Amino acid sequence: VGLFTSSHTTVGIGDSSFGAKYRLTRTANAPHQVALSGSLELPTGSARRQLGSGLVDYGLTLITQHRVSGAGTVRTNVGAVLVGNTQTGLVGVKTRGGVLVTGISYVRSLSSRVQAGGEFVTFVSARNVGSSIINWQLGGNVALGRATTLDLGVLGGWLAASPRIGVQLGLSIDLNRAAAP
């Protein structure tokens, strides 16, 4: 296992991911909260150009959130990719199903509209340990409206299956806030 061993570059639109989260904690402003999430990734990227897996993926995750200061929050995640593959082109574990996912992140509100933070994430494959990854990501988001944020991150990793460097761009929409009067 080498450090930053890939020299291949891929640029373009990858697979599309969708997720839903259900908060198990009854009090929305509790300092410690728990939630479950489900995810679905559709193969919208070109697998031939290494911009997608060519597979439909889905998984489940348990999430905890702990407020550590007025503006800072620590989140932990543990979950599994149940069916499919976490590979999106050059980013991900090259195996089908049976992938344990863990992560820890810290996010700080810089203003009422801007958040920034960092995270470490691991993907450990039950079938192919050599394709397991440890990634880091630094990023943030900017509120575009009451229910929408523009998200940007820079990421990299340490193991051979990890991306050397990457950029992620996303748009998040909170359907509960969008539907509220």
Side-chain angles (χ1 to χ4, degrees):
V1 178
L3 178 65
F4 302 121
T5 59
S6 175
S7 62
H8 186 80
T9 301
T10 300
V11 176
I13 303 295
D15 290 348
S16 297
S17 297
F18 302 92
K21 184 170 34 175
Y22 180 75
R23 184 178 59 231
L24 299 172
T25 308
R26 293 187 184 265
T27 306
N29 295 328
H32 307 288
Q33 298 189 32
V34 178
L36 287 174
S37 75
S39 61
L40 173 70
E41 185 170 278
L42 301 176
T44 56
S46 168
R48 182 185 59 76
R49 292 182 50 216
Q50 296 188 354
L51 291 169
S53 68
L55 301 171
V56 174
D57 316 327
Y58 61 86
L60 294 171
T61 304
L62 177 67
I63 304 160
T64 67
Q65 174 175 292
H66 310 279
R67 212 170 320 129
V68 293
S69 71
T73 302
V74 172
R75 292 183 182 92
T76 62
N77 304 294
V78 64
V81 175
L82 302 171
V83 172
N85 178 321
T86 63
Q87 179 180 355
T88 302
L90 295 179
V91 181
V93 175
K94 297 173 173 85
T95 187
R96 290 178 183 242
V99 177
L100 175 66
V101 180
T102 63
I104 186 165
S105 66
Y106 176 76
V107 176
R108 183 161 181 86
S109 294
L110 302 178
S111 73
S112 62
R113 293 182 31 144
V114 178
Q115 294 186 61
E119 70 178 352
F120 284 98
V121 180
T122 65
F123 297 84
V124 179
S125 168
R127 295 183 180 162
N128 186 359
V129 176
S131 68
S132 298
I133 64 175
I134 300 173
N135 282 2
W136 58 268
Q137 183 167 359
L138 297 174
N141 62 35
V142 176
L144 300 177
R146 175 173 89 159
T148 307
T149 61
L150 177 64
D151 313 311
L152 176 65
V154 176
L155 61 97
W158 287 282
L159 301 178
S162 297
R164 184 164 62 183
I165 192 85
V167 176
Q168 290 184 326
L169 179 65
L171 184 68
S172 297
I173 301 170
D174 183 335
L175 298 177
N176 285 333
R177 283 187 158 192

